[in-house]
Amino acid sequence: MKLGKVEFCHFLQLIALFLCFSGMSQAELSRSRSKPYFQTGRSRTKRSWVWNQFFVLEEYMGSDPLYVGKLHSDVDKGDGSIKYILSGEGASSIFIIDENTGDIHATKRLDREEQAYYTLRAQALDRLTNKPVEPESEFVIKIQDINDNEPKFLDGPYTAGVPEMSPVGTSVVQVTATDADDPTYGNSARVVYSILQGQPYFSVEPKTGVIKTALPNMDREAKDQYLLVIQAKDMVGQNGGLSGTTSVTVTLTDVNDNPPRFPRRSYQYNVPESLPVASVVARIKAADADIGANAEMEYKIVDGDGLGIFKISVDKETQEGIITIQKELDFEAKTSYTLRIEAANKDADPRFLSLGPFSDTTTVKIIVEDVDEPPVFSSPLYPMEVSEATQVGNIIGTVAAHDPDSSNSPVRYSIDRNTDLERYFNIDANSGVITTAKSLDRETNAVHNITVLAMESQNPSQVGRGYVAITILDINDNAPEFAMEYETTVCENAQPGQVIQKISAVDKDEPSNGHQFYFSLTTDATNNHNFSLKDNKDNTASILTRRNGFRRQEQSVYYLPIFIVDSGSPSLSSTNTLTIRVCDCDADGIAQTCNAEAYVLPAGLSTGALIAILACVLTLLVLILLIVTMRRRKKEPLIFDEERDIRENIVRYDDEGGGEEDTEAFDMAALRNLNVIRDTKTRRDVTPEIQFLSRPAFKSIPDNVIFREFIWERLKEADVDPGAPPYDSLQTYAFEGNGSVAESLSSLDSISSNSDQNYDYLSDWGPRFKRLADMYGTGQESLYS
């Protein structure tokens, strides 16, 4: 009969219980012969009881307390005079003792994995005197293990990698399972490993848990990942043992076992001849099943007629070979190129060289397409020279361009006027001859850089550009002049022969041998008695005094004309006037005052005094300005009320407004109703002498009295108004009184024959009412008679 796992466990428990009971019986029948026990007044006797260890099976699931063992003393005669007590770990809570019989029971289910043993103490007491009849004895209750814990992989699940194409038996990873059962008792914690999933590619060693490869030549390119299930079973793998599993993900890492191969044996690309240098012509790629560094490529051109025209490089990201142009293409010179390109792995693995060469070649043919190109000049730059004295229309030079296409279309020339804004030059459209169109001046512009355009006659959109640098040659067409505007002074105490100024000259021309200037006084100034000139022969001259005794009162300024001649051919000359001022100088010859007007000042008034007077005047002006500013600030309002009524301000507008219906600026009702009682407001800054609590209603009195009282009431309100400014202000009110003296002027009432109204007073209203007075006044009979 076969036993199941549960039945087998119960069978083992029964055997363990049987062994425990057998051991307890032997313990009761035998006595220890270790230490003697002494009692007072008695002879020495042997110790009557010693228990070292009890055993109890863990995980007991019965309904009654589990019997552990029995305590018994030889002193106990079975008459109930002896009682047994228990103390120590778990006493009373887990383990209980029958004080009459000494039987020990376990009241709770015990787990060896929680606590493997308990240490207790037993005592036999006299029931009447409660005194010990035996010395206290210590013993251990050991929990006996059963197989109740399965193996567990605490570090799982696992991931590992192994190179592809590894030989059989290559170690991949080690897995470890732990069992919480007692490893020193039985086989409950003895684990055996096996592989449930992952065969036949991998295997596992039963005792160590090391996973190894089981098949040769596993190819990553075919399958790069495997999922393994590893089982750990206790009881040395026997039936009835407990087991646990874990997963192991094994990834095959890449090795360089695949050579690169071009998908095609030849490629062809068409490129226009106008493609710029360094442009990409094509991209080719050799296929490699490997990845990462094992798939890195090197490309090179090994043969062909385009070695100097093209080059190939590798794209580090895509591992493509990039073909670019090194020189300009010319369809008229060559229409196609053939390249033989090789691709090879950078790092080949010697273990796999037997699989074949780790390189491959392909052929690339490049077809050059014709493009309608612009005309090309025979030279990139045309240097030309022309004298600035040349006549308008003279030829300067010639440029030449041709159509590089096979059609060889005729070319027409023109000047880019953006480079010749002043239009100094012209060009013949057919021949390319450049001529002058205006007079040239080297001093204005020494070099003219112009651009010449050449366009095809058949296709004007094709334009070529040539560059011409025209240098203007110098002629002597500018007379010399002073190098600067000199400020020359002579001291009143100067001595004859004293140098008062050194002069030099400049010339806008630039002769090839450099400038050479000659200085002299003009004919009119040669015989003057005041100054002379000395030519220093180094393009400078010195001005000297001929006499002493210069006086500002007599003459404060002298004008000396100087004649300057250059060395050009023909030579040019000019007369420049040197202004010399007479000054009062100190002992060192430094000018102090050069104005003759200084002599008209009072003798006792010095320059320092003048400065002091000016400073006083300036200070007075500043004080006046400050006083005016302070007065203006005092007139500003001291109380600022954001709700101040704008009716009390004079605002001028250049329009007539909206009439009486326009109530935005003020309230017309206050002016129309004179009988409104207004609340009296108390000013915050002024205490009025009389508080107006109410205003009496206006009576029917003459208009001038009404108007006077109206103004008087407004004045009183302004005095006691807390929102009014605390200073005088102008206030205006629109009040016309209670009615009009003229009453109605309508002609509908005037035509009544019974009307006795006298309109003669209209004559007093001015010339505008003169016509009405004539029509309706007393003199109308004479008007119509």
Side-chain angles (χ1 to χ4, degrees):
M1 181 178 66
K2 295 183 178 180
L3 296 177
K5 182 185 294 186
V6 177
E7 290 80 0
F8 182 72
C9 291
H10 290 170
F11 177 72
L12 292 178
Q13 291 177 357
L14 291 175
I15 293 173
L17 288 172
F18 176 76
L19 294 174
C20 290
F21 292 151
S22 299
M24 294 300 102
S25 300
Q26 294 295 328
E28 292 177 6
L29 296 176
S30 63
R31 295 180 180 179
S32 176
R33 299 178 180 179
S34 57
K35 289 185 178 181
Y37 173 64
F38 297 94
Q39 287 185 342
T40 306
R42 295 183 182 181
S43 61
R44 185 181 69 179
T45 59
K46 294 182 180 178
R47 191 170 186 178
S48 301
W49 67 332
V50 172
W51 290 266
N52 293 326
Q53 185 169 282
F54 290 113
F55 293 91
V56 62
L57 198 65
E58 69 168 334
E59 303 293 345
Y60 173 71
M61 303 295 293
S63 57
D64 297 329
L66 178 63
Y67 179 75
V68 176
K70 184 180 182 66
L71 297 179
H72 184 73
S73 174
D74 291 342
V75 181
D76 188 2
K77 304 300 182 179
D79 55 0
S81 62
I82 301 299
K83 69 176 181 179
Y84 300 93
I85 62 174
L86 195 66
S87 62
E89 291 182 312
S92 301
S93 60
I94 299 177
F95 302 102
I96 60 174
I97 188 171
D98 189 331
E99 64 178 13
N100 296 319
T101 63
D103 293 333
I104 301 174
H105 291 81
T107 61
K108 294 183 179 180
R109 183 173 63 88
L110 302 177
D111 188 359
R112 189 201 66 83
E113 286 70 40
E114 292 182 2
Q115 187 166 346
Y117 62 90
Y118 295 85
T119 302
L120 295 98
R121 293 180 300 277
Q123 183 77 61
L125 303 176
D126 185 278
R127 188 177 296 275
L128 296 176
T129 63
N130 206 29
K131 292 182 179 180
V133 298
E134 294 282 358
E136 186 179 61
S137 178
E138 184 177 87
F139 63 96
V140 174
I141 298 178
K142 186 174 182 181
I143 310 302
Q144 206 164 25
D145 185 47
I146 65 171
N147 189 18
D148 61 340
N149 290 279
E150 73 277 1
K152 294 182 180 180
F153 294 91
L154 301 180
D155 297 329
Y158 297 84
T159 58
V162 64
E164 63 174 332
M165 309 301 288
S166 296
V168 176
T170 302
S171 178
V172 179
V173 68
Q174 183 178 16
V175 296
T176 303
T178 59
D179 195 319
D181 292 327
D182 189 358
T184 63
Y185 180 77
N187 296 325
S188 299
R190 295 180 63 185
V191 177
V192 174
Y193 299 95
S194 61
I195 183 168
L196 301 181
Q197 178 180 323
Q199 295 173 331
Y201 305 102
F202 299 92
S203 63
V204 62
E205 291 187 356
K207 294 183 179 181
T208 62
V210 175
I211 300 173
K212 298 181 179 180
T213 58
L215 282 182
N217 301 327
M218 285 192 294
D219 191 2
R220 185 199 65 82
E221 288 72 35
K223 186 176 181 181
D224 62 347
Q225 198 171 79
Y226 297 85
L227 180 62
L228 283 62
V229 177
I230 305 299
Q231 181 190 66
K233 190 173 184 180
D234 58 15
M235 299 298 292
V236 200
Q238 297 177 0
N239 292 334
L242 302 179
S243 63
T245 59
T246 187
S247 64
V248 181
T249 303
V250 180
T251 302
L252 297 183
T253 58
D254 187 56
V255 298
N256 193 5
D257 60 337
N258 292 278
R261 292 290 179 263
F262 282 105
R264 297 166 55 184
R265 292 294 91 193
S266 63
Y267 298 86
Q268 180 174 316
Y269 299 95
N270 295 348
V271 296
E273 62 174 334
S274 60
L275 201 64
V277 174
S279 299
V280 176
V281 174
R283 287 175 174 262
I284 60 174
K285 184 179 182 181
D288 192 331
D290 297 323
I291 59 175
N294 297 320
E296 292 182 355
M297 300 286 183
E298 287 182 340
Y299 296 90
K300 61 181 178 179
I301 302 175
V302 295
D303 195 10
D305 55 358
L307 292 175
I309 306 299
F310 303 93
K311 72 173 183 179
I312 188 168
S313 59
V314 63
D315 188 330
K316 300 296 183 182
E317 297 293 332
T318 63
Q319 297 302 316
E320 292 178 310
I322 305 173
I323 303 174
T324 55
I325 301 175
Q326 285 186 294
K327 295 182 180 180
E328 292 183 352
L329 302 177
D330 188 358
F331 173 82
E332 288 71 27
K334 191 173 179 61
T335 59
S336 66
Y337 298 89
T338 302
L339 306 174
R340 188 160 185 80
I341 297 176
E342 179 186 77
N345 281 140
K346 292 180 63 176
D347 300 315
D349 194 331
R351 296 177 298 170
F352 306 104
L353 292 179
S354 60
L355 299 178
F358 278 74
S359 63
D360 195 18
T361 59
T362 188
T363 301
V364 177
K365 188 174 184 180
I366 299 174
I367 306 299
V368 181
E369 297 178 343
D370 187 23
V371 175
D372 190 6
E373 300 175 273
V376 178
F377 283 87
S378 58
S379 175
L381 178 64
Y382 293 88
M384 299 180 183
E385 293 182 347
V386 62
S387 174
E388 64 177 328
T390 189
Q391 299 297 320
V392 175
N394 285 356
I395 296 175
I396 301 174
T398 304
V399 297
H402 69 282
D403 183 7
D405 299 320
S406 56
S407 60
N408 196 17
S409 300
V411 175
R412 295 182 61 83
Y413 302 94
S414 64
I415 294 177
D416 184 357
R417 292 304 176 183
N418 290 325
T419 60
D420 184 28
L421 297 175
E422 300 295 331
R423 295 181 176 268
Y424 285 108
F425 308 98
N426 288 329
I427 189 170
D428 188 273
N430 297 316
S431 63
V433 175
I434 299 176
T435 57
T436 58
K438 284 184 178 181
S439 298
L440 303 176
D441 185 8
R442 188 203 65 82
E443 288 71 36
T444 303
N445 193 351
V447 178
H448 294 266
N449 294 307
I450 64 174
T451 301
V452 177
L453 306 178
M455 64 184 67
E456 294 182 9
S457 300
Q458 298 179 358
N459 187 6
S461 63
Q462 295 297 327
V463 179
R465 285 174 168 77
Y467 302 96
V468 181
I470 302 175
T471 302
I472 310 300
L473 301 179
D474 186 39
I475 63 171
N476 191 26
D477 59 342
N478 290 278
E481 56 187 13
F482 278 156
M484 58 180 293
E485 185 177 351
Y486 294 101
E487 295 181 0
T488 306
T489 61
V490 59
C491 294
E492 290 181 322
N493 56 359
Q495 300 300 318
Q498 182 178 342
V499 177
I500 61 173
Q501 184 68 59
K502 187 175 183 180
I503 61 175
S504 61
V506 294
D507 194 329
K508 294 180 181 179
D509 298 321
E510 291 185 359
S512 57
N513 297 327
H515 291 288
Q516 181 61 48
F517 301 113
Y518 305 96
F519 300 87
S520 64
L521 295 177
T522 61
T523 304
D524 298 339
T526 303
N527 297 324
N528 79 89
H529 302 288
N530 300 314
F531 306 99
S532 63
L533 183 143
K534 177 184 177 183
D535 193 338
N536 298 324
K537 307 300 182 181
D538 59 355
N539 289 340
T540 65
S542 300
I543 307 299
L544 300 87
T545 58
R546 282 190 170 183
R547 66 177 180 87
N548 57 5
F550 293 95
R551 294 291 181 269
R552 286 177 293 168
Q553 291 178 335
E554 297 176 358
Q555 186 172 349
S556 61
V557 180
Y558 293 87
Y559 300 99
L560 186 64
I562 300 174
F563 187 68
I564 308 175
V565 182
D566 62 17
S567 58
S569 180
S571 62
L572 296 179
S573 62
S574 66
T575 300
N576 298 265
T577 301
L578 182 67
T579 301
I580 304 173
R581 298 184 180 277
V582 180
C583 298
D584 179 22
C585 303
D586 58 12
D588 297 328
I590 299 175
Q592 299 295 321
T593 305
C594 298
N595 295 327
E597 292 77 11
Y599 286 95
V600 303
L601 295 174
L605 192 60
S606 63
T607 303
L610 289 175
I611 295 175
I613 293 173
L614 291 175
C616 293
V617 172
L618 182 61
T619 304
L620 290 175
L621 291 176
V622 172
L623 290 174
I624 294 172
L625 181 61
L626 288 174
I627 293 172
V628 172
T629 304
M630 294 300 293
R631 287 187 175 182
R632 288 185 177 180
R633 288 186 178 180
K634 289 181 179 180
K635 292 182 179 181
E636 293 179 358
L638 299 179
I639 297 177
F640 294 90
D641 188 0
E642 294 182 355
E643 299 180 356
R644 185 168 53 189
D645 193 349
I646 61 173
R647 290 175 295 173
E648 297 179 359
N649 300 328
I650 298 177
V651 182
R652 181 178 181 272
Y653 301 95
D654 291 333
D655 56 64
E656 297 180 356
E660 293 182 355
E661 295 181 358
D662 185 4
T663 60
E664 293 295 331
F666 55 86
D667 187 6
M668 286 294 297
L671 297 180
R672 288 176 175 174
N673 189 1
L674 301 180
N675 300 323
V676 176
I677 300 177
R678 293 175 174 82
D679 295 335
T680 303
K681 298 180 180 179
T682 305
R683 292 191 55 161
R684 294 188 298 269
D685 56 341
V686 178
T687 302
E689 297 179 0
I690 301 174
Q691 298 291 338
F692 296 91
L693 300 178
S694 62
R695 173 188 294 174
F698 289 103
K699 300 178 180 180
S700 298
I701 54 179
D703 287 345
N704 56 349
V705 177
I706 294 174
F707 183 76
R708 189 164 49 250
E709 289 195 5
F710 171 78
I711 296 300
W712 179 246
E713 291 293 332
R714 288 292 185 270
L715 181 59
K716 292 178 180 178
E717 287 182 359
D719 287 340
V720 298
D721 186 7
Y727 50 83
D728 294 340
S729 62
L730 178 62
Q731 302 187 45
T732 59
Y733 304 95
F735 176 68
E736 297 180 356
N738 287 332
S740 174
V741 177
E743 296 181 352
S744 176
L745 300 180
S746 173
S747 59
L748 296 176
D749 297 331
S750 303
I751 60 176
S752 175
S753 58
N754 298 328
S755 175
D756 57 355
Q757 177 69 34
N758 184 8
Y759 295 101
D760 291 338
Y761 61 87
L762 294 176
S763 301
D764 300 332
W765 287 13
R768 294 186 179 182
F769 297 91
K770 180 66 175 176
R771 182 64 175 171
L772 290 175
D774 294 340
M775 293 176 61
Y776 297 100
T778 54
Q780 60 182 356
E781 289 90 353
S782 61
L783 181 63
Y784 293 101
S785 59

